[in-house]
Amino acid sequence: MDKLELKGQIEEFIYQNESNSYSIAVFNTENQEVVTVVGYLPFIAVGDTLKLQGKMVVHQEYGEQFKIETFEKLMPESAAALEKYLASGTIKGIGPATARKIIDRFGEETLAVFKFEPLRLAEIKGITKDRAYEISEEFNEKWEVWQIVSFLEQFGIGANNSKKVYDALGVNAVEKIQENPYILVDVVYGVNFYNIDRIAMQIGVPMDSDYRIKSGIKYALLVASYNGHTCVEKENLINYVKDILDVSEELVKNNIINLNVASEIHLVEDDDKEYVFLEPFYKAEKNIAERLCILRDCKNTKHMKDFKKEIKKHEDKLDIELSEKQFEAISQINDNNVCIITGGPGTGKTTIIKFVIDIYKEQKKKVVLCAPTGRAAKRMSETTGEEAKTIHRLLEIGKFEEDKLGSIDTDVTPVDADVLVIDEMSMVDVFLMNYLVKAVFLGTKIIFVGDPNQLPSVGPGSILKDLIDSKEFATVHLDKIFRQAAKSKIIVNAHNVNNGINFIGKKDYGEDSENDFFYINESNQDKMLYQVLSLSKERLKNYGDFEFFTNIQVLTPTKKGKLGTKELNKYLQNELNPKTDEILEKSYGDITFREGDRVMQIKNNYDIYWEKGSTKNLKTFEAGTGVFNGEIGRIAKIDYENKQIEIDFDDGKTAWYAFSELDQLEHAYAITIHKAQGSEFDVVILVVPPSSNMLLTRNLLYTGITRAKKLLIVIGNKDLISFMINNSEVKKRNTGLKLKFKN
């Protein structure tokens, strides 16, 4: 479809997102046609005259709309248009009445007065000379600001990010970028470095410019962080940068030295190799190491003297007989301020947490529980009977630009706790850990609980592994499967996989083993899909009265392909929540959301409002803000009148999403194993299609198996499953935390 061009004025905003300026507005064209326009309109106010480029689209709910691709702000070409702009309130102190007076007084000269003769504005009754200068300055500043939008387009940076650039660089943003285009790499996360590099060459930046080479170095380090690394071996970095920039090795080395002197990067030697860190990664790891050592070494004010007597008393009270390893774990917690407890499923980690809660609460100590994700916190609450919060919520981390690395010094709320227990530590990345240790008071006992054989954190770092490998903290590894847990084929097979033992064809589970693990050997992807759909829709209902939206979750290693999340979600939605006349739906991009759909939040949103409970009972009612990446819920209602979707999340909160915010959601009938980490589901259908060898690893299969609580069905080719079990290659992450304990 050919691009169209419209020229006219903004009559009113129906909706405008404050953070990214995504707007729905009424636009009055120069032909006096009224058109609804949608798109990003930063720095634009009612009354502005615009030239828009885009295309007409038909929205199934709102009808015909003009979708903005680019826009240009124009000077009003008539006194009437300028009066409308001034009357909109965009200039402080000028309302409709004053706007009318200004236009009546100066007519077609009004723009020239604002620009070149501001003192003449004092001719208007009510405007002093000082105020005249202020009004003129504000008018001209606002007029200049919009230029950044069209300027940034050449760098491939859309209007949705232009406000972020302006906020970072100020009114002189254009001049700063013209001097050094590479500054955009530091300001806009995920920006296309190569596009900026191409434009920089066009405007005359030399290939050997220090700006260019320094930016290339930082870009390379940032790319490495997307793969979990907090640092890069210096020689590898030099070779990568000189190749992508086509410059000499000497120039790269010199600029590494310059960046190091400026503390924008840090160089660290380890085992005769030199590693390079971006400053925020180095600083975060340094903060973690220093703070944990301080917390470890301060006075153990929570130490119990008659410890064995206390243990026996609580064993009798809880009707628990601790194993030797569990007793060792509780002892280490008593003797140390910082302690690490690890182990696979069924080895008694939850029992230890329950014991810790009981023993310290009797001592009148405050025990606080937390986990990295909402589902992990919910599971922690369910297994212990005590409240558990996400780390974000515990620290009351407000909105911060986590996609800008300079945010590691953000203030957090101190944690009021005598004992702090953090579960699912394998999911905690370097930045979240940095916030966490900042928030802990001296004298607080910290207990890190996790399973190092699960997948590492999505973000950079390998915190749990590095803490264990450092040998700086008391660590107990639970390796005994308890008798009751040993009846579960899920748990036995999880440990088998972790030890490189194949479950296919295995028979010796014991006479009293539960029927909770099934394997379907299938290679044909169409037949695998049939198995997933029939199990989800009816077979599991008939087998154990399991209902999909209550008990069942489909997991897959990948997003792509017929058995990736994208396609599986379409198939499962059509089977489990098909389109009917009674069910309302709302399309966003190529996704159609329906009432009743299972959905997942896919990015952190610190601002979205939610409620728990009813205002009729204020004792149990709770309200707050923030829904975080990985949280799952169901669409309760699609409200066309208020242009929003109501979602009931699994942890009991209800949140409302504007239609323009639906890019934050995706279907969750099927989710990746990575997204499922920290969660537990009654029934898991784990489908394993052919995929990249990088994905098909032992720890991925192990993590998928351990998501199931009551029943697990694995569907996949036996040779592929065997390959995963034997593929124990864990992609090593380059990190510096362990080394920082030595320095």
Side-chain angles (χ1 to χ4, degrees):
M1 185 183 293
D2 294 336
K3 280 188 180 180
L4 299 176
E5 187 173 283
L6 297 181
K7 193 174 174 184
Q9 278 188 304
I10 296 289
E11 289 286 327
E12 66 170 310
F13 283 100
I14 300 170
Y15 169 82
Q16 190 167 41
N17 184 301
E18 289 184 11
S19 62
N20 63 14
S21 300
Y22 182 84
S23 306
I24 303 171
V26 176
F27 191 73
N28 190 2
T29 72
E30 59 185 351
N31 297 326
Q32 301 303 308
E33 294 179 6
V34 177
V35 179
T36 300
V37 297
V38 295
Y40 294 98
L41 291 173
F43 320 118
I44 298 303
V46 170
D48 280 348
T49 301
L50 306 178
K51 182 166 70 175
L52 308 177
Q53 284 194 332
K55 58 186 177 182
M56 298 302 299
V57 296
V58 178
H59 191 283
Q60 64 176 24
E61 179 186 346
Y62 302 112
E64 199 171 50
Q65 298 177 334
F66 185 84
K67 187 175 182 180
I68 302 166
E69 294 181 5
T70 62
F71 76 90
E72 181 182 348
K73 186 172 175 180
L74 305 172
M75 287 283 188
E77 294 180 350
S78 67
L82 183 56
E83 181 183 345
K84 199 169 198 176
Y85 172 76
L86 294 174
S88 69
T90 190
I91 306 297
K92 188 177 178 182
I94 298 182
T98 305
R100 176 75 265 170
K101 292 176 184 176
I102 291 172
I103 297 300
D104 284 346
R105 179 75 174 178
F106 303 114
E108 300 295 334
E109 294 183 84
T110 302
L111 273 179
V113 169
F114 271 103
K115 281 182 162 295
F116 308 115
E117 301 178 277
L119 195 58
R120 289 186 63 192
L121 292 170
E123 297 173 17
I124 305 299
K125 187 177 180 181
I127 298 179
T128 64
K129 290 182 179 180
D130 288 344
R131 185 66 192 125
Y133 280 118
E134 289 174 4
I135 289 172
S136 173
E137 187 176 338
E138 184 180 354
F139 177 91
N140 290 316
E141 182 179 304
K142 286 182 181 294
W143 209 262
E144 295 292 328
V145 158
W146 67 268
Q147 293 184 46
I148 193 171
V149 179
S150 55
F151 176 74
L152 287 173
E153 282 181 356
Q154 65 181 309
F155 296 97
I157 296 175
N160 54 319
N161 275 314
S162 58
K163 189 172 187 299
K164 186 185 294 183
V165 173
Y166 174 74
D167 290 343
L169 302 181
V171 291
N172 296 321
V174 172
E175 289 82 356
K176 290 176 182 177
I177 296 166
Q178 285 172 330
E179 180 186 354
N180 174 20
Y182 299 100
I183 198 172
L184 292 169
V185 176
D186 297 329
V187 175
V188 182
Y189 179 78
V191 71
N192 187 321
F193 173 83
Y194 300 102
N195 193 36
I196 290 176
D197 192 42
R198 178 179 56 81
I199 300 294
M201 297 293 98
Q202 290 176 0
I203 64 175
V205 176
M207 283 190 69
D208 60 355
S209 160
D210 286 345
Y211 286 142
R212 180 173 186 255
I213 298 169
K214 287 176 182 177
S215 183
I217 291 166
K218 290 190 285 185
Y219 171 75
L221 291 169
L222 195 59
V223 168
S225 76
Y226 302 155
N227 293 316
H229 305 293
T230 63
C231 58
V232 173
E233 193 177 329
K234 183 180 176 182
E235 285 305 311
N236 292 339
L237 176 66
I238 291 169
N239 290 330
Y240 180 80
V241 173
K242 72 185 183 68
D243 286 345
I244 66 170
L245 298 185
D246 193 21
V247 294
S248 71
E249 184 173 315
E250 183 183 3
L251 281 172
V252 178
K253 286 180 176 179
N254 288 341
N255 277 283
I256 286 176
I257 292 170
N258 293 336
L259 285 169
N260 186 48
V261 169
S263 294
E264 292 185 58
I265 64 172
H266 290 267
L267 302 179
V268 176
E269 287 191 21
D270 183 27
D271 294 334
D272 299 324
K273 290 183 179 179
E274 200 166 14
Y275 290 88
V276 186
F277 294 77
L278 275 172
E279 195 269 345
F281 291 100
Y282 178 85
K283 190 173 180 181
E285 287 187 339
K286 188 169 183 287
N287 290 347
I288 292 165
E290 290 177 350
R291 186 65 182 168
L292 279 179
C293 287
I294 291 170
L295 291 165
R296 176 196 62 193
D297 297 337
C298 70
K299 186 176 179 181
N300 186 353
T301 58
K302 313 299 186 299
H303 185 268
M304 289 177 278
K305 293 180 180 178
D306 299 325
F307 178 68
K308 289 186 178 179
K309 184 179 176 183
E310 286 292 328
I311 290 284
K312 183 69 177 82
K313 182 173 73 174
H314 286 273
E315 280 184 320
D316 293 340
K317 176 184 173 184
L318 298 172
D319 194 24
I320 293 172
E321 184 178 349
L322 294 176
S323 70
E324 185 178 331
K325 280 281 191 179
Q326 286 177 315
F327 180 83
E328 180 190 350
I330 303 291
S331 300
Q332 294 285 13
I333 291 167
N334 183 50
D335 292 340
N336 296 277
N337 286 328
V338 180
C339 191
I340 303 168
I341 310 296
T342 72
T347 56
K349 297 193 300 292
T350 300
T351 298
I352 290 172
I353 296 174
K354 287 179 178 177
F355 211 94
V356 165
I357 294 168
D358 196 69
I359 202 168
Y360 283 104
K361 283 181 77 172
E362 190 172 276
Q363 298 277 328
K364 307 298 182 187
K365 305 299 182 188
K366 183 176 180 181
V367 182
V368 172
L369 310 179
C370 66
T373 67
R375 290 190 68 86
K378 182 187 177 189
R379 188 176 74 166
M380 203 178 185
S381 295
E382 291 170 347
T383 55
T384 63
E386 298 287 331
E387 181 188 20
K389 294 182 177 180
T390 64
I391 297 173
H392 284 87
R393 190 147 290 137
L394 177 68
L395 304 183
E396 297 182 5
I397 297 175
K399 183 177 181 181
F400 67 94
E401 289 289 351
E402 57 188 346
D403 58 1
K404 284 174 64 178
L405 297 176
S407 62
I408 62 169
D409 294 322
T410 300
D411 290 332
V412 294
T413 300
V415 177
D416 178 18
D418 295 299
V419 181
L420 176 63
V421 184
I422 305 106
D423 200 7
E424 296 289 353
M425 270 300 298
S426 62
M427 300 180 68
V428 177
D429 66 24
V430 66
F431 293 116
L432 191 56
M433 186 67 172
N434 173 62
Y435 290 125
L436 187 63
V437 296
K438 281 172 61 176
V440 180
F441 288 116
L442 296 185
T444 298
K445 278 189 179 294
I446 307 178
I447 305 166
F448 297 120
V449 182
D451 184 349
N453 294 308
Q454 288 190 25
L455 296 168
S457 59
V458 174
S462 54
I463 298 297
L464 180 60
K465 183 178 182 299
D466 287 350
L467 292 181
I468 295 169
D469 291 348
S470 74
K471 296 182 168 49
E472 292 287 328
F473 306 96
T475 302
V476 179
H477 178 65
L478 306 172
D479 52 11
K480 175 189 173 184
I481 306 176
F482 282 86
R483 186 175 62 183
Q484 189 61 39
K487 294 179 182 179
S488 167
K489 293 180 185 178
I490 296 172
I491 291 175
V492 170
N493 283 328
H495 285 271
N496 283 337
V497 167
N498 195 42
N499 293 320
I501 301 170
N502 204 324
F503 56 76
I504 298 173
K506 184 174 172 57
K507 302 294 183 185
D508 53 334
Y509 291 103
E511 293 181 5
D512 59 348
S513 292
E514 299 172 10
N515 259 350
D516 62 353
F517 185 105
F518 295 93
Y519 168 60
I520 299 173
N521 180 18
E522 185 56 73
S523 301
N524 182 285
Q525 292 199 42
D526 288 324
K527 292 180 179 178
M528 291 169 75
L529 176 61
Y530 166 77
Q531 294 283 0
V532 172
L533 298 179
S534 62
L535 283 164
S536 300
K537 190 173 182 181
E538 54 205 16
R539 284 162 59 194
L540 285 170
K541 174 74 173 173
N542 297 334
Y543 173 78
D545 201 26
F546 295 116
E547 199 275 323
F548 188 88
F549 290 103
T550 306
N551 306 100
I552 303 169
Q553 181 64 56
V554 177
L555 301 182
T556 177
T558 180
K559 294 180 179 180
K560 299 177 181 178
K562 179 173 283 191
L563 296 173
T565 54
K566 192 168 183 180
E567 292 302 314
L568 275 175
N569 275 313
K570 291 178 182 176
Y571 289 120
L572 286 163
Q573 183 195 40
N574 288 337
E575 288 291 327
L576 300 167
N577 192 28
K579 177 177 174 59
T580 69
D581 292 338
E582 291 76 30
I583 296 177
L584 298 179
E585 60 180 37
K586 166 68 182 170
S587 292
Y588 190 92
D590 60 350
I591 298 177
T592 298
F593 294 103
R594 292 186 189 130
E595 291 176 336
D597 274 347
R598 180 184 286 173
V599 292
M600 174 186 281
Q601 176 80 12
I602 58 172
K603 60 177 75 170
N604 289 342
N605 183 331
Y606 296 86
D607 294 331
I608 198 160
Y609 174 79
W610 55 261
E611 294 178 357
K612 276 187 183 180
S614 170
T615 52
K616 294 178 181 177
N617 185 353
L618 294 179
K619 288 184 178 180
T620 59
F621 178 77
E622 184 182 355
T625 57
V627 179
F628 301 103
N629 190 356
E631 294 198 50
I632 293 176
R634 288 189 73 185
I635 296 177
K637 182 181 179 182
I638 295 178
D639 182 350
Y640 289 116
E641 183 178 348
N642 294 303
K643 301 181 179 60
Q644 64 183 16
I645 287 181
E646 178 182 323
I647 298 176
D648 294 337
F649 284 93
D650 288 355
D651 63 354
K653 66 175 175 283
T654 297
W656 293 265
Y657 288 70
F659 285 171
S660 59
E661 297 174 316
L662 297 185
D663 61 329
Q664 300 177 37
L665 298 169
E666 64 183 25
H667 285 123
Y669 294 93
I671 61 176
T672 62
I673 296 170
H674 281 87
K675 286 287 190 183
Q677 190 164 357
S679 304
E680 194 174 58
F681 310 95
D682 286 345
V683 181
V684 167
I685 302 170
L686 177 57
V687 56
V688 186
S691 188
S692 163
N693 288 354
M694 291 177 61
L695 279 177
L696 300 177
T697 61
R698 179 187 295 175
N699 67 341
L700 187 85
L701 181 60
Y702 172 77
T703 302
I705 290 172
T706 53
R707 300 310 92 203
K709 186 161 60 173
K710 294 180 180 179
L711 182 64
L712 172 70
I713 302 101
V714 180
I715 306 170
N717 174 261
K718 64 180 181 180
D719 293 332
L720 199 60
I721 300 292
S722 297
F723 173 83
M724 292 183 78
I725 293 170
N726 292 319
N727 184 13
S728 59
E729 291 292 322
V730 177
K731 192 172 182 183
K732 181 181 178 294
R733 293 188 169 191
N734 292 328
T735 64
L737 180 59
K738 184 173 71 169
L739 182 64
K740 288 180 176 64
F741 288 111
K742 299 177 185 177
N743 297 336

